[in-house]
Structures are given as C-alpha cells and as structure tokens.
Amino acid sequence: MTTPTTAAESCWDNQLPTRIADIRAVLREEYGEGHRYPWIVAFSGGKDSTLVAHLVFEMLMALPPSRRTRPVHFIANDTLVESPLVVEHMTNGIREISHAAAAFDLPVDTCITRPETDQSFWVNLIGRGYPSPNQSFRWCTDRMKIQPTSRYVKEQISAEGRAILLLGVRRSESIARRASVARHDSNGRLNPHGDMPGCMVFRPIVELSTDDVWEFLSCHAPPWGGSHQKLIKLYRDAGGGECPVVTQKSDVPSCGTRSSRFGCWTCTVVEKDRSLAGFVDSGFDEFGPLLSFRDWLVSIRNEPHRRQARRRNGKITMARDGGLIPGPYTLQTRAEILQRLESVQAETGKDLISEEETEIIRQIWADDIIRQSRPQSVGIHQINGGK
C-alpha cells in the first residue's frame, strides 16, 4: 500500500489538477442530464469512496439551487462487526455530510445500511453454527454487505425507475480490481449493474492512481467541513485499506482478500488481520482482546470435535474422495464462543453483540435441540469441495 502523505509532503503533481478538473466536468455533465434518476454514492469511509463523496458534494455546492434537481444519496454499510475505529470514522463522516447538506440546503439523503438482526454475523456463527468464513465458504458478505445495501438501492429504483450508483473503483487498485472493471466496462460512462436491473454504475475516479487519491485528499479539506487528516491517520495506524461497499457477488473477492484491509474485526477470510494488529501496534491496546478472539476463531474452525456430522438440513455431505465434510459447530462450541465473546465485551467495554441477537441465538439453540431429538433419515450429498 502507498503510504498516505500529508499536505506538506505532497501537492507536487502538476497533472493532477487537470485530471481532477476532467472528473469534475464529467460529474457536472452527468448530473445535468434531463432526468431525475437519483445518484447513490457508496461511502465506506475509505480513501477512494471519500474522494468520490468529496467531489460530488463539492459539485452540488457549486451549482445554483435551481440546477440541484436530482436527489443524491450517500450510503454506508455497517456489518455490525466493523472494526470499532473504522465504523466510528464512517459514522462520523456520514453524520458530517448529513449536517452540512442540511445547512447548505442540498438535495442529499444519507443512510447507513445494516443486516437484518436475524442474519447478523453472530446469529449465523453462534446461533446456526456456521463455521467462521474462509475463502471457500464466505457466507458473510452476501448477508451483511450485499443484501442490506442492495435493498436500499432497489428501493430507489422502484421509486424512480432507475438509479445511478457511484463507486470509488480504480483500475490501479489491484490486479483483481482491474479485471473486474474490464469485465463490467461497456465503454460508456454508465455501465449496467451485474445483479440489479435498473441500476447503472458510474466510476468517476476509475483512472486515478493511489498517489493521486492521497495527494488530493492531503491538499483539500472536505467540503462538508473538518479535515481528511483523521482518515490519513487511520490508514497509517492500521497499515491497511478499506473493504469497499459491495453490491454484487462478482465483487466479493475485494472483501476479505489476503491483502491488508480494514473492515470487520471478525474477518477470518484473511489469514492474519494485519490492520487490527496495526491498530494494536499503534497504541490501541483495547483492541488486543478482539484480535486474540478473532485468532481463536480461526484456530478452532476445523477441529473435528467442534463440528457436527450433519448439515442443518439433516444431510451428510461427502467429498468426492470419500471424506466427510463436517456440518455446523456443535451446540457446546457455540455456547463456548458466546461465553468468550461476552467476556471480551465485558473486558473491553465495547458493544460487540446486542441483546436482540442473543435472544435470537438462544431461540435457535432451543429449536435445534428439539430438531436433533427427532429421528433423522440418512441422506448423503456428494460435492466436489469442502466447506
């Protein structure tokens, strides 16, 4: 990852103003189209989405009130297990955007999407016993990121007939991102969303480099007030990059890659959470228990005695080589995870699991006990790989 710069270290690239001016012109031109399709700006609180939000908000402020004819929605996603510093930064950013938009009388709405409580990380992991996510069984992204955000976007499509989703996606972000952009690029400014009919995707900063992004943010204060220095410090403390807002399954690999990213503190898809460790190394000792708990979740995932033989549907699943693919965690292991989580919550003083989630978990346990007490028919399902 390129190290974030400060204003004193940057503002040297004479070509960046031209590139930014071109992006501003494209934003104004697209916003001025003769229809009322709303813009939806995906805001994760990271550098790329912050730059897009900055330029869009700035454009709205520069327009006369008579030309602010289309609503703009700034949406963020809270998986309910975000890294505490990251979710605080994201929430504060959305709040500042909302307050400034109201003060300037801009046609702006803000929203933070969250998973349904019944589909939260803890309800699925501790309640239903889903093993902690890994590369081959990444059940978390769809339930916690894609579904909540897609639901909001679809509501806007239903109301207006179409919506335009603005993403802070850049070709140079990674090899996987470059391939993703190419796959969805129809050589136009707007590209159809892969999973949501009526949604068009707009990537205004797609050609910028990482250095471009940091240079701009270092040299310009956000139009909603304050400074981008907190964002720069967040990256420096974590040594990582953000998990972006995800709205389609083809973008899932960008969430929970092996690179150093910050996002869910519970993420077990990465082999080692370098960003959370970076916060601890930067002096945030209160995150040490969270890191230890996350590492413990990784360590117990494939211990045979912690997994049931049958899936939740009562079937036994065999791999092609004849090996048994284990099912969910046992009730004993789920109870142990909950007990350890509540201990970490008490130790850190942070709200890690809600009372509503705990109630749903215990109801699922009760239902599982009743179901497991009934005679079960033998059913065997064979698949290629394991989970």
Side-chain angles (χ1 to χ4, degrees):
M1 173 191 126
T2 302
T3 303
T5 59
T6 64
E9 296 168 337
S10 189
C11 305
W12 53 265
D13 185 352
N14 292 328
Q15 298 302 313
L16 180 58
T18 300
R19 291 193 287 271
I20 294 295
D22 290 342
I23 293 171
R24 285 172 170 149
V26 170
L27 286 170
R28 285 195 302 271
E29 182 179 339
E30 171 54 37
Y31 185 80
E33 292 289 339
H35 54 72
R36 283 190 50 82
Y37 300 146
W39 278 12
I40 302 174
V41 181
F43 180 78
S44 70
K47 64 184 188 306
D48 298 324
S49 67
T50 296
L51 176 55
V52 173
H54 181 127
L55 295 174
V56 170
F57 198 99
E58 181 183 72
M59 179 210 67
L60 288 174
M61 288 182 61
L63 291 175
S66 61
R67 293 179 57 192
R68 299 170 186 164
T69 57
R70 293 165 64 183
V72 178
H73 304 256
F74 291 82
I75 63 167
N77 172 252
D78 177 7
T79 61
L80 302 179
V81 284
E82 299 291 326
S83 177
L85 285 178
V86 176
V87 74
E88 179 183 4
H89 174 78
M90 178 195 71
T91 303
N92 288 341
I94 285 290
R95 184 185 303 114
E96 290 168 357
I97 290 171
S98 178
H99 289 170
F104 290 113
D105 196 25
L106 302 180
V108 164
D109 287 318
T110 59
C111 177
I112 299 178
T113 66
R114 297 178 175 87
E116 299 288 346
T117 306
D118 182 63
Q119 290 299 323
S120 76
F121 183 83
W122 298 126
V123 169
N124 281 306
L125 182 93
I126 302 176
R128 298 184 176 93
Y130 287 11
S132 52
N134 63 7
Q135 289 288 340
S136 62
F137 188 36
R138 189 163 26 192
W139 51 263
C140 51
T141 308
D142 183 58
R143 290 169 173 81
M144 295 156 49
K145 280 180 170 283
I146 295 177
Q147 290 184 19
T149 301
S150 296
R151 189 160 49 242
Y152 184 90
V153 175
K154 289 175 181 177
E155 289 174 358
Q156 310 315 313
I157 295 173
S158 177
E160 299 293 342
R162 182 169 291 189
I164 298 173
L165 180 64
L166 283 77
L167 299 177
V169 173
R170 296 179 297 105
R171 293 185 197 275
S172 65
E173 186 177 354
S174 66
I175 295 175
R177 179 60 74 190
R178 188 179 302 115
S180 176
V181 171
R183 187 167 58 250
H184 299 295
D185 196 346
S186 61
N187 297 318
R189 180 185 300 166
L190 305 181
N191 297 281
H193 191 283
D195 296 331
M196 283 187 286
C199 179
M200 302 298 291
V201 178
F202 183 15
R203 308 179 183 95
I205 66 169
V206 69
E207 303 299 344
L208 294 185
S209 69
T210 299
D211 286 342
D212 289 338
V213 175
W214 282 126
E215 181 179 346
F216 183 90
L217 295 177
S218 298
C219 299
H220 300 83
W224 51 81
S227 167
H228 289 311
Q229 292 306 308
K230 290 181 180 178
L231 171 64
I232 293 171
K233 184 178 186 302
L234 189 68
Y235 272 80
R236 282 181 161 168
D237 286 343
E242 79 278 11
C243 275
V245 174
V246 180
T247 62
Q248 56 188 349
K249 293 183 179 180
S250 59
D251 283 337
V252 167
S254 65
C255 175
T257 63
R258 288 186 175 87
S259 63
S260 181
R261 291 182 175 270
F262 55 63
C264 300
W265 70 268
T266 58
C267 185
T268 53
V269 176
V270 293
E271 295 177 5
K272 188 174 183 179
D273 193 337
R274 295 181 178 87
S275 62
L276 191 56
F279 285 134
V280 175
D281 292 342
S282 297
F284 296 93
D285 296 337
E286 65 270 29
F287 296 143
L290 274 64
L291 183 61
S292 297
F293 180 86
R294 177 262 173 202
D295 291 345
W296 176 73
L297 280 181
V298 174
S299 71
I300 69 169
R301 187 188 192 280
N302 295 318
E303 293 180 354
H305 70 281
R306 294 185 178 278
R307 303 280 291 275
Q308 297 175 185
R310 294 176 180 269
R311 297 296 176 99
R312 291 191 60 80
N313 61 8
K315 304 296 184 181
I316 293 176
T317 305
M318 307 295 292
R320 287 195 179 276
D321 62 5
L324 173 68
I325 298 175
Y329 288 128
T330 65
L331 283 168
Q332 291 84 353
T333 294
R334 293 182 235 173
E336 182 183 355
I337 296 173
L338 179 59
Q339 185 274 323
R340 284 181 177 243
L341 177 62
E342 290 176 337
S343 294
V344 172
Q345 181 169 256
E347 180 180 357
T348 61
K350 299 185 180 299
D351 294 328
L352 304 179
I353 184 170
S354 68
E355 292 183 4
E356 185 179 1
E357 287 175 294
T358 302
E359 291 176 2
I360 294 174
I361 286 168
R362 295 192 182 281
Q363 183 58 56
I364 292 173
W365 289 356
D367 294 341
D368 283 357
I369 291 172
I370 293 173
R371 186 175 64 251
Q372 291 174 15
S373 67
R374 297 170 181 161
Q376 294 179 317
S377 60
V378 176
I380 298 179
H381 176 59
Q382 187 180 70
I383 63 175
N384 290 324
K387 295 181 180 178

